Amino acid sequence: TFSNGNRTVAITSGNDDVVVSSIPIPLTGKWAFKVNYDSGSSGLVGVIPIDAAFQGGTGGVSVAHDQFYYSLDTGNTYQNEGAPTSSGFSTLSAGTDDLEVFVDMDAGTINFSKNGGAKEGSTALTDTSRQYLFSLSSESGSAACAFTIDNDFTPSDTDFLPLNTVNLPEIEIGQGGDGTSATDHFDI
């Protein structure tokens, strides 16, 4: 369920949903995303390749997704389902804490930061030629959780830009050459 101008998402008990950003992470650069962990348990925050995010009938976390995520309740990081890739990091308390996700497409890494603290859970992305989306989900179909996306923040690591329309490259309309600028208009 979405609310608050589509910035708040609630994943209900009994659903194995993955909610993804509407803006893909560019293939180059350093990008950040921040969520507030509002309520519930078993929340997961991370990235998923755009082609895997929209596969019909494959909700939740699976090997097929090539997903990288942080378990808010355990402090473990994962690639796909199964055993954690790293463990022993900060856990988050619902209603109190937030999580920043840092994706460095140039270095091919993803890191996480609780409440603007030190980065944790550094993991190498397996394929930086794939375009990723930030993702929110629940670790278990039996758990409910809610998140609010903070798209107007300054990342704690200022080498990264928040993933929002203000920071994206200018859209080029047209084919080849210099193309047509997104600020051009066409009188008909």
Side-chain angles (χ1 to χ4, degrees), residues 13 15 24 32-33 54 63 73 78 132-133 138 152-153 159 161 166 172 176:
S13 178
N15 289 308
F33 180 77
F54 298 105
V63 173
D73 294 336
Y78 296 86
Y132 289 89
L133 299 167
S138 172
D152 186 28
F153 77 105
D159 289 339
L161 292 172
V166 172
E172 188 173 303

Side-chain angles (χ1 to χ4, degrees), residues 99-111:
L99 185 75
E100 286 179 86
V101 181
F102 297 97
V103 178
D104 185 340
M105 291 302 288
D106 299 327
T109 59
I110 181 171
N111 288 280

Side-chain angles (χ1 to χ4, degrees), residues 56-135:
T58 57
V61 176
S62 74
V63 173
H65 284 170
D66 199 23
Q67 183 175 2
F68 300 87
Y69 57 95
Y70 190 100
S71 172
L72 304 180
D73 294 336
T74 66
N76 296 334
T77 60
Y78 296 86
Q79 177 184 357
N80 305 318
E81 62 186 346
T85 54
S86 300
S87 60
F89 300 114
S90 299
T91 59
L92 277 74
S93 298
T96 305
D97 295 324
D98 60 63
L99 185 75
E100 286 179 86
V101 181
F102 297 97
V103 178
D104 185 340
M105 291 302 288
D106 299 327
T109 59
I110 181 171
N111 288 280
F112 305 90
S113 170
K114 175 184 174 181
N115 299 329
K119 289 182 188 172
E120 301 178 322
S122 182
T123 302
L125 300 173
T126 54
D127 186 355
T128 56
S129 69
R130 294 176 81 180
Q131 198 153 30
Y132 289 89
L133 299 167
F134 285 110
S135 66

Side-chain angles (χ1 to χ4, degrees), residues 169-186:
E170 187 172 315
I171 298 171
E172 188 173 303
I173 302 171
Q175 300 293 324
D178 291 332
T180 305
S181 166
T183 59
D184 289 346
H185 62 88
F186 302 93

Side-chain angles (χ1 to χ4, degrees), residues 8 28 34 132 162 164:
T8 299
T28 60
K34 181 178 176 182
Y132 289 89
N164 58 37

